[in-house]
Amino acid sequence: MTKDEVKGAAEAEQAQSKKGLKKQQKEAEKAAKKAEKQAKLATEQQGTEEDDFAKDRYGMLPMFQSQEKLERVLVRVQDLTPEKADQLIWLRARVHTSRAKGKQCFLVLRQQQFNVQALVAVGDRASKQMVKFAANITKESIVDVEASVRKVEQKIESCSQQDVELHIERIFVVSQAEPRLPLQLDDAVRPETEGEEEGRATVNQDTRLDNRVIDLRTTTSQAVFRLQSGVCQLFRDTLTNKGFVEIQTPKIISAASEGGANVFTVSYFKTSAYLAQSPQLYKQMCICADFEKVFCVGPWAEDSNTHRHLTEFVGLDIEMAFNYHYHEVIDSITDTMVQIFKGLRDNFQTEIQTVNKQFPSEPFKFLEPTLRLEYTEGVAMLREAGVEMGDEEDLSTPNEKLLGRLVKEKYDTDFYVLDKYPLAVRPFYTMPDPNNMKYSNSYDMFMRGEEILSGAQRVHDPQLLTERAMHHQIDLEKIKSYIDSFRFGAPPHGGGGIGLERVCMLYLGLHNVRQTSMFPRDPKRLTP
Amino acid sequence: MTKDEVKGAAEAEQAQSKKGLKKQQKEAEKAAKKAEKQAKLATEQQGTEEDDFAKDRYGMLPMFQSQEKLERVLVRVQDLTPEKADQLIWLRARVHTSRAKGKQCFLVLRQQQFNVQALVAVGDRASKQMVKFAANITKESIVDVEASVRKVEQKIESCSQQDVELHIERIFVVSQAEPRLPLQLDDAVRPETEGEEEGRATVNQDTRLDNRVIDLRTTTSQAVFRLQSGVCQLFRDTLTNKGFVEIQTPKIISAASEGGANVFTVSYFKTSAYLAQSPQLYKQMCICADFEKVFCVGPWAEDSNTHRHLTEFVGLDIEMAFNYHYHEVIDSITDTMVQIFKGLRDNFQTEIQTVNKQFPSEPFKFLEPTLRLEYTEGVAMLREAGVEMGDEEDLSTPNEKLLGRLVKEKYDTDFYVLDKYPLAVRPFYTMPDPNNMKYSNSYDMFMRGEEILSGAQRVHDPQLLTERAMHHQIDLEKIKSYIDSFRFGAPPHGGGGIGLERVCMLYLGLHNVRQTSMFPRDPKRLTP
């Protein structure tokens, strides 16, 4: 919320006058006192015996309100290695599990993808009451612990930190979780096969998405979205190094994105507007405006409902002027993809392995340079495999996947380009092939047999563009400012749009794009 | 357009059957032939005399359709320096101006922010017809020229490349501009003072925005948006280095962003949805989902209409868990801003100077560490300057600006933080100050006296959050999934949102946020 939005609320509040302010102050004070009281009570409940020598070593902390600046160093779970043996450290983590056993309580403490075993045992540093307190901390609560790091004889297979455990000397609850979790994290990371074979619980997609904040805490989700962040970074860094400029194009537009149907109407003051379905026209306008090579990362609306579609998806878009041949564009895009694949392979191996534990898949394979096949070659391969289809027919989704398998068998790659699509199946702004008017200077790119990018050389001549738009029965009035952009000198150019969620899904060998969208939107889902 | 969108169009087309395809093919062939014919004609018109020895050295090229792969190196204008003297080079550029003078024609060739003088003169390599052809090329057309680089005796003050000029030996038009430009680029970069004092033309904002593709070609626009791209990159790189993860949050939501008014309604299948006005609730949910430190860059809708508001703006958002005090968050944000300021100062000096030529301003000043004042100190400074205002009153825009001037005088900085705002003027999720319930753990940041960021420690306790929301009369049902996010353990956290366009505007000392939005949206503007 910007300050100015706040102001509206503020003015409304001020109207309530000082009386309102006082009331509010009292309420807040009351709330703070209540919280403090509860904390005290909880501590007292644990320590019923007056003679608890360890009573200052555990308890519920009052709500963190930045009461003081504490210069305490908190160690990261992933840094708990044998080098830290016998050090006394402070750590903040979630209680992943806890298990009381006589005079001891074993905890697993978790931070994102990492976890460590911890132990509170009755002795010099912990009382019976303290162990009982620790055992009663609800799962997913956040705790601060002071503990000494100890090497273990036998590796702890169930934790990411296998060589050490923590001997807790102090434990305080920073934020307490309600006792009943809407889903169990261990269930949420269980491979489906294991669930089926051993009859153990797994979590279905709707439950996951309904309780996304909990589901996102799993090792798998943490890995997926860290990798997604990496894809965006690799995409942008590669293009920035190639001299591309990042642009921001509007998401609220006055007419359909590409002259097609207006899917999502927006109320816009006294008129109507639409949600943009791609940055297509705007990124081309930036080329006409001399930015030469541009990219953008942004959300787009789409009206589809399949395993690989979202109503709102993130597009990684590229557009560039080229010198003589649109294969210069293909080369730039495929090199960008290869840099992404290499970056993931080299820097996100932990994440890939983590996801693989729950969703096993073959490592993603790619060639350098990228394999480029012509559409007619693809059709020939499909026909050889028994598919009947016309020369200028588009690929159906099953045929796309079949072709992916055939290409993998023949060339051993999960990534390739299919070039020179039939003109008839491409949008109006696609440049026709100069040698065969049935085809066009356009291409799709595939990962594991599914399309992740569609692109082309664009028509940069306003006259031909007008003719092509008319042929597609597009209302010229609605794309006037777009066509006019080409009237004052336009360089030959091309580009393409990549679906971020699809790239992540297919790179990791997942099967539903909702797994790679933090808060997915589809025709039936608008929350959370 | 993703492939699947294309498919809809494709199917519609296929329904037209082969007849349609043939017709379309013919049309495209006709168009290509026509273009070729025109090109030929144009060449012939120039070369009426049959004995033109240079007739292969100039002309209109046919539309670039990727007919051939040409291994020709094109030199960049900015690389035309005395080191290249006497080399024969190829260059693609726009004709910025052309001026015929007897047997010579002087051209200024432009690429983005850079330009160079070029000359075609009747002689060995150029005929009278060729000079005439060159003189008739319309401004803003794109040309390929082969030329020899020559050092000049006297610096060419009007060009960015002052030490060399080009002697053209071949010149071909790649894309021809229509003769009547909607605005003159030279007018569009003229400082207003010069326009007023010397009675020379300048271009008003609406004309610029109506013809944005031309206006974006000016040196000033090129510099502004390259710098904007730099701000995004510096923001993300700094945060990535600090261990932040990039997130993508939904822009289509089921209820108002922060429980407030729903400004923009979207038709959503059989129901209604809203455009998100900020990622506030979602970025906090990511903190509850253990991402610890997150950022996002995305478009948000806002219902305001001032010199510093856009209906659609790009937000640079930060949210992070902290250990003990929300000043850890302030420190992270101010350090990020300082890294941005330094990066701009060190790597975008050309852009800054270019903008300054048209819009003079003082260099942006900042301190390390960043100045942090408390709200009460700010109010005291204003009162000392004669302003009458209450302790818990919000800052009006004029008072904000005045305070900016007072701070600049006293501390010599254009960037500072105002901390501990009155609780009453902040949103419901703001954490109250633990020592004085009238105030809160919240802050704004200012550049040249205008607010660019609003932020706070957030309430992470679901009970207090509920109480605060009720106090603000927010419908709890609408923010249920948000409040529920805090029920299963939530770390103390805080953050803020930065307006990208504002940062660029204020850093460069510009005066309207429309200058730093490529295709601005306001209540009256939805196009281009």
Side-chain angles (χ1 to χ4, degrees):
Chain A
M1 187 185 261
T2 67
K3 183 160 176 223
D4 308 80
E5 282 175 80
V6 174
K7 265 179 195 155
E11 278 158 23
E13 279 202 42
Q14 283 176 355
Q16 296 181 343
S17 83
K18 290 200 178 165
K19 200 172 156 193
L21 285 174
K22 270 192 189 158
K23 193 183 155 206
Q24 169 203 338
Q25 231 178 288
K26 269 193 187 162
E27 273 174 16
E29 275 166 21
K30 224 171 71 185
K33 272 186 192 158
K34 198 172 162 188
E36 218 170 300
K37 204 172 157 192
Q38 276 185 326
K40 216 172 159 189
L41 201 73
T43 312
E44 284 170 1
Q45 279 172 343
Q46 302 301 331
T48 41
E49 294 169 53
E50 293 236 340
D51 59 345
D52 181 1
F53 71 92
K55 66 177 187 292
D56 295 332
R57 295 184 160 268
Y58 63 94
M60 311 289 286
L61 295 176
M63 181 173 66
F64 275 53
Q65 232 180 321
S66 305
Q67 289 89 339
E68 55 170 340
K69 291 190 182 181
L70 194 58
E71 298 293 334
R72 182 189 286 165
V73 175
L74 295 174
V75 170
R76 306 290 302 171
V77 168
Q78 67 201 94
D79 296 332
L80 293 171
T81 53
E83 288 80 63
K84 288 221 161 42
D86 304 320
Q87 290 183 21
L88 196 63
I89 55 107
W90 277 97
L91 179 79
R92 177 170 298 170
R94 284 195 193 272
V95 173
H96 185 67
T97 59
S98 80
R99 184 168 47 90
K101 202 178 165 183
K103 291 183 170 179
Q104 296 185 326
C105 175
F106 285 93
L107 301 164
V108 174
L109 299 178
R110 191 186 80 236
Q111 257 174 8
Q112 304 169 332
Q113 296 153 272
F114 306 97
N115 53 23
V116 65
Q117 180 166 282
L119 172 70
V120 205
V122 175
D124 280 6
R125 308 294 168 96
S127 59
K128 243 188 342 190
Q129 295 92 331
M130 178 166 159
V131 173
K132 194 176 161 198
F133 174 82
N136 283 333
I137 298 172
T138 48
K139 277 202 256 187
E140 294 299 304
S141 293
I142 297 172
V143 293
D144 275 4
V145 300
E146 190 182 35
S148 114
V149 182
R150 298 284 169 83
K151 263 197 259 190
V152 290
E153 294 296 306
Q154 208 167 358
K155 274 188 189 292
I156 302 167
E157 298 290 346
S158 58
C159 287
S160 68
Q161 309 312 106
Q162 308 199 326
D163 304 316
V164 296
E165 66 176 12
L166 298 178
H167 289 208
I168 293 176
E169 305 197 353
R170 293 174 199 270
I171 182 163
F172 298 97
V173 174
V174 170
S175 174
Q176 192 178 21
E178 291 188 359
R180 224 183 117 81
L181 291 172
L183 59 88
Q184 300 301 318
L185 272 81
D186 286 340
D187 296 344
V189 295
R190 188 163 291 130
E192 264 174 54
T193 48
E194 200 179 298
E196 282 164 20
E197 285 162 18
E198 302 175 24
R200 300 177 73 183
T202 55
V203 182
N204 73 34
Q205 188 171 271
D206 272 330
T207 306
R208 285 178 191 281
L209 296 181
D210 288 341
N211 302 283
R212 192 57 158 163
V213 167
I214 310 296
D215 184 47
L216 287 174
R217 291 181 190 171
T218 64
T219 48
T220 304
S221 295
Q222 289 286 322
V224 164
F225 292 101
R226 273 160 212 282
L227 183 131
Q228 185 176 86
S229 176
V231 170
C232 292
Q233 197 194 348
L234 288 160
F235 174 79
R236 287 183 304 239
D237 287 354
T238 306
L239 291 169
T240 303
N241 288 339
K242 288 177 189 288
F244 280 69
V245 173
E246 180 173 8
I247 57 169
Q248 309 288 343
T249 69
K251 276 72 193 177
I252 307 175
I253 56 177
S254 63
S257 263
E258 303 174 23
N262 289 311
V263 180
F264 298 97
T265 311
V266 182
S267 68
Y268 196 84
F269 303 99
K270 284 173 186 164
T271 175
S272 281
Y274 306 96
L275 287 189
Q277 293 170 260
S278 84
Q280 185 60 39
L281 308 193
Y282 288 94
K283 63 183 184 167
Q284 286 191 255
M285 286 159 79
C286 287
I287 297 302
C288 296
D290 285 352
F291 286 95
E292 284 191 2
K293 298 171 174 186
V294 299
F295 70 88
C296 59
V297 177
W300 307 105
E302 188 167 38
D303 173 20
S304 292
N305 191 13
T306 75
H307 80 283
R308 65 182 189 183
H309 281 95
L310 294 164
T311 312
E312 188 183 322
F313 72 98
V314 176
L316 308 175
D317 269 273
I318 292 176
E319 200 73 22
M320 62 179 272
F322 62 80
N323 293 343
Y324 297 104
H325 199 288
Y326 76 99
H327 283 177
E328 298 165 31
V329 181
I330 292 187
D331 291 345
S332 276
I333 300 176
T334 53
D335 181 62
T336 303
M337 293 308 298
V338 165
Q339 297 310 320
I340 292 173
F341 300 149
K342 284 185 177 176
L344 294 180
R345 183 194 62 194
D346 299 342
N347 306 322
F348 289 85
Q349 211 43 244
T350 310
E351 282 73 13
I352 295 166
Q353 300 302 333
T354 301
V355 176
N356 266 329
K357 272 183 212 158
Q358 181 170 9
F359 301 103
S361 75
E362 294 293 310
F364 188 83
K365 288 196 168 176
F366 57 95
L367 303 173
E368 281 183 277
T370 300
L371 175 67
R372 182 170 55 77
L373 297 175
E374 296 219 346
Y375 195 80
T376 50
E377 293 176 76
V379 171
M381 284 171 77
L382 283 170
R383 283 180 184 154
E384 209 168 293
V387 172
E388 287 180 30
M389 66 177 288
D391 283 348
E392 293 169 57
E393 203 178 298
D394 204 358
L395 288 183
S396 65
T397 305
N399 283 345
E400 238 176 55
K401 288 187 180 174
L402 173 57
L403 185 56
R405 286 196 296 276
L406 297 171
V407 168
K408 178 78 184 266
E409 276 170 29
K410 191 167 173 183
Y411 301 98
D412 199 28
T413 179
D414 288 309
F415 178 62
Y416 75 102
V417 184
L418 201 57
D419 191 18
K420 298 234 156 280
Y421 268 67
L423 183 61
V425 305
R426 307 298 279 198
F428 76 95
Y429 46 74
T430 308
M431 182 62 88
D433 182 321
N435 304 313
N436 184 343
M437 299 298 297
K438 278 185 188 173
Y439 291 93
S440 65
N441 293 350
S442 70
Y443 41 84
D444 274 10
M445 300 190 186
F446 297 88
M447 285 172 65
R448 300 197 201 253
E450 298 198 47
E451 180 258 334
I452 56 123
L453 172 139
S454 199
Q457 179 182 352
R458 326 296 187 179
V459 176
H460 62 285
D461 176 86
Q463 193 181 345
L464 179 57
L465 191 57
T466 304
E467 284 165 18
R468 297 295 305 154
M470 282 169 67
H471 175 81
H472 280 252
Q473 297 174 312
I474 287 164
D475 183 349
L476 291 178
E477 203 42 53
K478 287 189 177 164
I479 54 167
K480 187 174 180 305
S481 65
Y482 169 64
I483 292 186
D484 286 348
S485 308
F486 299 94
R487 297 195 190 284
F488 305 100
H493 64 286
I498 301 164
L500 171 63
E501 294 88 352
R502 277 197 201 177
V503 169
C504 297
M505 168 179 83
L506 295 164
Y507 183 84
L508 290 168
L510 299 176
H511 298 291
N512 194 309
V513 76
R514 287 160 189 78
Q515 293 173 289
T516 52
S517 173
M518 270 199 175
F519 301 100
R521 296 290 179 254
D522 66 33
K524 286 175 188 159
R525 179 171 293 279
L526 252 174
T527 52
Chain B
M1 191 185 261
T2 68
K3 184 161 175 223
D4 308 80
E5 281 176 81
V6 174
K7 264 178 196 155
E11 277 157 25
E13 280 202 41
Q14 282 174 355
Q16 295 180 344
S17 84
K18 291 199 177 166
K19 201 173 153 191
L21 285 174
K22 271 195 190 156
K23 195 183 153 207
Q24 169 202 338
Q25 232 178 287
K26 270 194 189 158
E27 273 176 13
E29 276 165 22
K30 226 171 70 186
K33 271 188 193 156
K34 199 170 160 188
E36 218 170 301
K37 206 171 152 190
Q38 277 185 326
K40 218 172 155 187
L41 203 74
T43 312
E44 283 169 2
Q45 281 173 344
Q46 304 299 331
T48 42
E49 293 167 52
E50 294 237 339
D51 59 346
D52 182 2
F53 71 92
K55 67 177 186 293
D56 295 332
R57 296 184 160 269
Y58 64 94
M60 310 288 287
L61 296 176
M63 182 173 66
F64 275 53
Q65 233 180 321
S66 306
Q67 289 88 338
E68 54 171 340
K69 291 190 182 182
L70 195 58
E71 298 293 332
R72 182 189 284 164
V73 175
L74 295 174
V75 169
R76 305 289 304 171
V77 168
Q78 67 202 94
D79 297 332
L80 293 171
T81 52
E83 288 80 64
K84 288 222 162 36
D86 304 319
Q87 290 182 23
L88 197 62
I89 55 105
W90 276 97
L91 179 80
R92 178 171 297 169
R94 284 196 193 271
V95 173
H96 185 67
T97 60
S98 79
R99 183 167 49 91
K101 202 177 166 186
K103 290 181 171 183
Q104 296 185 326
C105 175
F106 285 93
L107 302 164
V108 174
L109 299 179
R110 189 186 82 234
Q111 256 173 10
Q112 305 169 330
Q113 296 153 273
F114 306 98
N115 54 21
V116 65
Q117 179 166 285
L119 172 70
V120 205
V122 175
D124 279 5
R125 308 295 170 94
S127 59
K128 241 185 352 190
Q129 295 90 331
M130 180 167 157
V131 173
K132 193 175 162 198
F133 174 84
N136 283 333
I137 298 172
T138 47
K139 276 202 257 187
E140 293 300 303
S141 293
I142 297 172
V143 293
D144 274 4
V145 300
E146 190 181 35
S148 115
V149 182
R150 298 286 168 82
K151 264 197 259 191
V152 291
E153 295 297 306
Q154 209 168 356
K155 275 189 188 293
I156 302 167
E157 298 288 347
S158 57
C159 288
S160 70
Q161 308 314 106
Q162 308 199 325
D163 303 316
V164 296
E165 66 176 10
L166 298 178
H167 288 207
I168 293 176
E169 304 197 352
R170 294 175 200 271
I171 183 163
F172 299 97
V173 174
V174 171
S175 175
Q176 193 178 20
E178 290 188 0
R180 224 184 118 79
L181 292 172
L183 58 88
Q184 300 302 317
L185 272 81
D186 286 340
D187 296 344
V189 295
R190 187 162 290 130
E192 263 174 55
T193 48
E194 200 180 300
E196 282 165 19
E197 284 162 18
E198 302 173 23
R200 299 177 74 184
T202 54
V203 181
N204 73 33
Q205 188 170 270
D206 272 330
T207 306
R208 286 178 189 281
L209 295 181
D210 287 341
N211 302 283
R212 192 59 158 162
V213 168
I214 310 295
D215 183 49
L216 287 175
R217 291 181 189 170
T218 63
T219 48
T220 304
S221 294
Q222 288 286 322
V224 165
F225 292 101
R226 274 161 211 283
L227 182 131
Q228 186 176 84
S229 176
V231 170
C232 291
Q233 197 194 346
L234 288 161
F235 175 78
R236 287 183 305 239
D237 287 354
T238 305
L239 292 169
T240 302
N241 288 339
K242 288 178 188 287
F244 280 70
V245 173
E246 180 173 8
I247 56 169
Q248 309 288 341
T249 69
K251 275 72 192 179
I252 307 175
I253 56 176
S254 63
S257 262
E258 303 174 22
N262 289 310
V263 181
F264 298 97
T265 310
V266 182
S267 68
Y268 196 81
F269 303 99
K270 285 172 184 164
T271 176
S272 282
Y274 307 96
L275 288 188
Q277 293 170 260
S278 86
Q280 185 60 39
L281 309 193
Y282 288 93
K283 63 182 185 170
Q284 285 191 257
M285 285 160 79
C286 287
I287 297 302
C288 296
D290 283 353
F291 286 95
E292 284 192 3
K293 297 171 173 186
V294 299
F295 69 89
C296 59
V297 177
W300 308 104
E302 188 168 39
D303 174 20
S304 292
N305 191 14
T306 75
H307 81 283
R308 64 182 190 182
H309 280 95
L310 294 164
T311 312
E312 188 184 321
F313 72 97
V314 176
L316 308 175
D317 269 272
I318 293 176
E319 199 73 22
M320 63 180 271
F322 62 79
N323 293 343
Y324 298 104
H325 200 287
Y326 75 99
H327 282 178
E328 298 165 31
V329 181
I330 291 187
D331 291 345
S332 276
I333 300 176
T334 52
D335 181 61
T336 302
M337 293 309 298
V338 165
Q339 297 310 320
I340 292 174
F341 300 149
K342 284 185 176 176
L344 295 179
R345 181 194 64 195
D346 298 343
N347 306 321
F348 289 85
Q349 211 43 245
T350 311
E351 283 73 14
I352 295 166
Q353 299 303 333
T354 301
V355 175
N356 266 331
K357 271 183 211 157
Q358 181 170 8
F359 301 103
S361 74
E362 294 294 310
F364 188 84
K365 287 196 169 176
F366 57 95
L367 301 175
E368 279 184 279
T370 299
L371 175 68
R372 183 172 54 78
L373 297 174
E374 296 218 348
Y375 195 81
T376 49
E377 293 176 76
V379 171
M381 283 172 77
L382 283 170
R383 283 181 184 154
E384 208 167 297
V387 172
E388 287 181 30
M389 66 177 287
D391 283 348
E392 292 168 59
E393 203 177 301
D394 204 358
L395 287 183
S396 66
T397 305
N399 283 346
E400 240 176 55
K401 288 188 180 172
L402 172 57
L403 184 56
R405 285 196 297 276
L406 298 172
V407 168
K408 179 78 184 266
E409 276 169 30
K410 188 165 173 185
Y411 300 98
D412 198 29
T413 179
D414 289 308
F415 178 62
Y416 76 101
V417 183
L418 201 57
D419 191 17
K420 298 234 157 280
Y421 269 68
L423 182 62
V425 305
R426 307 298 279 198
F428 76 93
Y429 46 76
T430 308
M431 183 62 88
D433 182 321
N435 304 315
N436 184 344
M437 299 298 296
K438 279 187 188 173
Y439 291 93
S440 65
N441 293 350
S442 70
Y443 40 85
D444 275 9
M445 299 189 187
F446 297 87
M447 285 173 65
R448 299 197 202 253
E450 298 199 45
E451 181 258 334
I452 56 123
L453 173 140
S454 197
Q457 177 179 354
R458 326 295 186 179
V459 176
H460 62 284
D461 176 85
Q463 193 182 345
L464 179 57
L465 191 58
T466 305
E467 283 165 18
R468 296 297 303 154
M470 282 169 67
H471 175 81
H472 280 253
Q473 295 173 316
I474 287 163
D475 183 349
L476 292 177
E477 204 41 53
K478 287 190 178 162
I479 53 169
K480 186 174 181 307
S481 64
Y482 168 66
I483 292 186
D484 286 349
S485 308
F486 300 94
R487 297 195 189 282
F488 305 99
H493 64 286
I498 301 164
L500 171 63
E501 295 88 352
R502 277 196 201 177
V503 169
C504 297
M505 167 179 84
L506 295 165
Y507 183 85
L508 289 168
L510 300 176
H511 298 290
N512 194 309
V513 76
R514 287 158 189 77
Q515 293 173 291
T516 52
S517 173
M518 269 200 175
F519 301 99
R521 296 289 179 257
D522 65 34
K524 284 176 190 160
R525 179 171 292 280
L526 253 175
T527 53

